[in-house]
Amino acid sequence: MSFQAKPRVLFSRQEIEATVRKLAAEISRDYQGKHPLLLGVLKGSFMFMADLIRLLDFPLEVEFISLSSYGRGKESSGKIKVVRGLRSQVRGRDLLVIEDIVDTGLTVAFLLDYLRKKRPASLKLCALTDKPSRRQVPVTIDYLGFTVPDKFLVGYGLDWDEKFRNLPDICVSEE
Ligand code: IMP
């Protein structure tokens, strides 16, 4: 796919907005009276995180972590590293991980394992999209936006080689 190619819309900005509202309602119901730490996985979750937290009407904190798994291509290397670690205390906190996409599951399985060792009071996962056909390790998604086909997605924070994150819709990048 060239940088000029126009990706095809899979979920429009209106569909995304409705789905983020539905997720925010579920999360609000479950976290009333708590003070969770929402942990966004950089970079792909930044737009989703920004829209989601504006719809949450209870006290919360925001933190980001950066992991490396993908190289410059479209296939996961399977080797995951923490590139930017946590700067907040996690022990005893209600922790909600915010992911853009669960694909093979390797990244989030690594992250959940890494976080569990830090002894949070609770640990849940919210993912905007899920590509179950590519799963290599089992992952439980507590709050899920869209189940997606085995296509490479871009837009609404998702990139291909750092490009297309700014598209307001979730699109399929076609060769
Ligand atoms: P996993 O480890 O294979 O589950 O991949 C997780 C990470 O790979 C996501 O957080 C994304 O950064 C990236 N990724 C996986 N599939 C896609 C896609 O279709 N578009 C853009 N990024 C993707």
Side-chain angles (χ1 to χ4, degrees), residues 41-45 67 69-70 74-76 78 80 99-109 129 131 134-136 139 148-149 151-155 157-160 165 171:
V41 186
L42 290 173
K43 298 176 192 172
S45 71
L67 306 171
S69 62
Y70 272 57
K74 293 183 177 179
E75 287 301 314
S76 173
I80 296 132
E99 258 288 19
D100 52 354
I101 186 161
V102 181
D103 184 20
T104 62
L106 293 167
T107 306
V108 88
T129 61
K131 217 188 274 180
R134 301 226 331 141
R135 197 71 92 254
Q136 290 182 24
V139 174
V148 300
K151 303 270 185 209
F152 200 81
L153 306 183
V154 293
L158 289 160
D159 75 306
W160 174 64
R165 291 194 198 275
C171 301

Side-chain angles (χ1 to χ4, degrees), residues 100-146:
D100 52 354
I101 186 161
V102 181
D103 184 20
T104 62
L106 293 167
T107 306
V108 88
F110 167 88
L111 178 60
L112 293 175
D113 198 48
Y114 170 86
L115 295 171
R116 221 170 268 122
K117 290 186 185 131
K118 299 189 181 290
R119 311 260 213 100
S122 68
L123 180 58
K124 287 190 175 187
L125 173 64
C126 172
L128 181 63
T129 61
D130 178 25
K131 217 188 274 180
S133 54
R134 301 226 331 141
R135 197 71 92 254
Q136 290 182 24
V137 288
V139 174
T140 302
I141 303 175
D142 301 285
Y143 306 98
L144 172 64
F146 301 101

Side-chain angles (χ1 to χ4, degrees), residues 46-118:
F46 77 98
M47 211 179 273
F48 175 38
M49 176 76 122
D51 284 346
L52 180 69
I53 61 168
R54 275 180 278 189
L55 299 171
L56 301 178
D57 61 349
F58 53 84
L60 57 84
E61 285 168 42
V62 170
E63 180 58 275
F64 288 98
I65 192 165
S66 185
L67 306 171
S68 72
S69 62
Y70 272 57
R72 286 170 58 86
K74 293 183 177 179
E75 287 301 314
S76 173
S77 68
K79 294 191 199 93
I80 296 132
K81 280 196 318 212
V82 177
V83 175
R84 177 203 189 273
L86 285 170
R87 292 163 199 201
S88 302
Q89 280 294 332
V90 163
R91 198 185 175 112
R93 299 294 307 268
D94 291 305
L95 199 55
L96 177 59
V97 174
I98 310 293
E99 258 288 19
D100 52 354
I101 186 161
V102 181
D103 184 20
T104 62
L106 293 167
T107 306
V108 88
F110 167 88
L111 178 60
L112 293 175
D113 198 48
Y114 170 86
L115 295 171
R116 221 170 268 122
K117 290 186 185 131
K118 299 189 181 290

